C-alpha cells in the first residue's frame, strides 16, 4: 500500500497558489508546474537592458526550469534519472528548437516520455516555459 505526501520546499520559489512543489503518491513523485522563477521572484532568462527593453532567452529559461525540477526532486531523494514523464508548456512554439536543444543536454531517447504543448500565457509575462514532471522512485 502506497502513501501520499505533499511538500513545499524551503529555498525554492514559493508556489503562487495553494499547491505543493512535489506530491508523493506511492512510488511516484509528481512535480508541480515549475518555471525559471528564483526564490527572490526574479526570473532566470529574463534580463532588462539599459534602455528598459526586456530580453527573454528560452535556452536559459529551459535550463533553469530543469535545474529547478532537479533541485525539487533531490530534496525528496530522487533525481532527473528517475523522471518517467515530462509535460512542457511553451508560450511560443517558435521557441521549440531552443527548448529542445537544452532538453537534449539533460535527457536522451531513453529518458522520460514527453509532451510539449503551446499555451496562451503563463503566470508572469516574462515566463516562456513551465515544466511538470513525474518521477518513479520506489519506497524502500
Amino acid at each position: 500500500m502506497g502513501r501520499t505526501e505533499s511538500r513545499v520546499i524551503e529555498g525554492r520559489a514559493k508556489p503562487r497558489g495553494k499547491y505543493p512543489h512535489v506530491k508523493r503518491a506511492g512510488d511516484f513523485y509528481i512535480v508541480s508546474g515549475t518555471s525559471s522563477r528564483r526564490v527572490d521572484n526574479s526570473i532566470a532568462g529574463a534580463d532588462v537592458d539599459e534602455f528598459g527593453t526586456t530580453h527573454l532567452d528560452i535556452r536559459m529559461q529551459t535550463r533553469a526550469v530543469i535545474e529547478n525540477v532537479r533541485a525539487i526532486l533531490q530534496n525528496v531523494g530522487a533525481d532527473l534519472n528517475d523522471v518517467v514523464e515530462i509535460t512542457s508548456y511553451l508560450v511560443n512554439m517558435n521557441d521549440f528548437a531552443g527548448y529542445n536543444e537544452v532538453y537534449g543536454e539533460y535527457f536522451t531517447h531513453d529518458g522520460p516520455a514527453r509532451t510539449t504543448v503551446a499555451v496562451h500565457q503563463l503566470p508572469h509575462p516574462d515566463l516562456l516555459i513551465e515544466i511538470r514532471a513525474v518521477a518513479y522512485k520506489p519506497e524502500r
Side-chain angles (χ1 to χ4, degrees):
M1 177 83 81
R3 65 184 170 109
T4 62
E5 174 188 348
S6 299
R7 191 175 297 178
V8 174
I9 299 168
E10 286 294 319
R12 307 304 323 154
K14 183 179 176 190
R16 296 183 63 132
K18 293 191 176 193
Y19 59 88
H21 285 110
V22 62
K23 175 94 175 181
R24 180 173 199 123
D27 291 339
F28 292 92
Y29 286 106
I30 299 93
V31 178
S32 295
T34 302
S35 71
S36 63
R37 208 164 43 94
R38 300 177 183 117
V39 71
D40 67 358
N41 281 321
S42 64
I43 297 171
D47 297 305
V48 179
D49 67 19
E50 68 271 15
F51 302 108
T53 303
T54 302
H55 299 276
L56 304 177
D57 185 325
I58 188 62
R59 287 171 179 82
M60 285 183 66
Q61 285 198 21
T62 302
R63 191 168 285 107
V65 172
I66 294 172
E67 289 297 334
N68 284 341
V69 169
R70 181 197 309 262
I72 291 167
L73 288 170
Q74 287 176 335
N75 188 273
V76 295
D79 205 340
L80 292 178
N81 59 349
D82 299 310
V83 175
V84 294
E85 180 184 20
I86 285 195
T87 305
S88 299
Y89 305 92
L90 296 178
V91 173
N92 187 338
M93 277 298 174
N94 289 331
D95 288 332
F96 186 85
Y99 145 74
N100 206 39
E101 174 187 314
V102 173
Y103 183 94
E105 295 172 11
Y106 290 89
F107 302 105
T108 68
H109 290 288
D110 293 326
R114 184 181 89 177
T115 301
T116 304
V117 296
V119 295
H120 173 68
Q121 63 187 16
L122 290 168
H124 189 283
D126 291 345
L127 293 175
L128 300 173
I129 182 171
E130 182 172 290
I131 292 178
R132 174 189 180 276
V134 177
Y136 177 72
K137 185 77 173 181
E139 294 187 74
R140 297 199 195 296

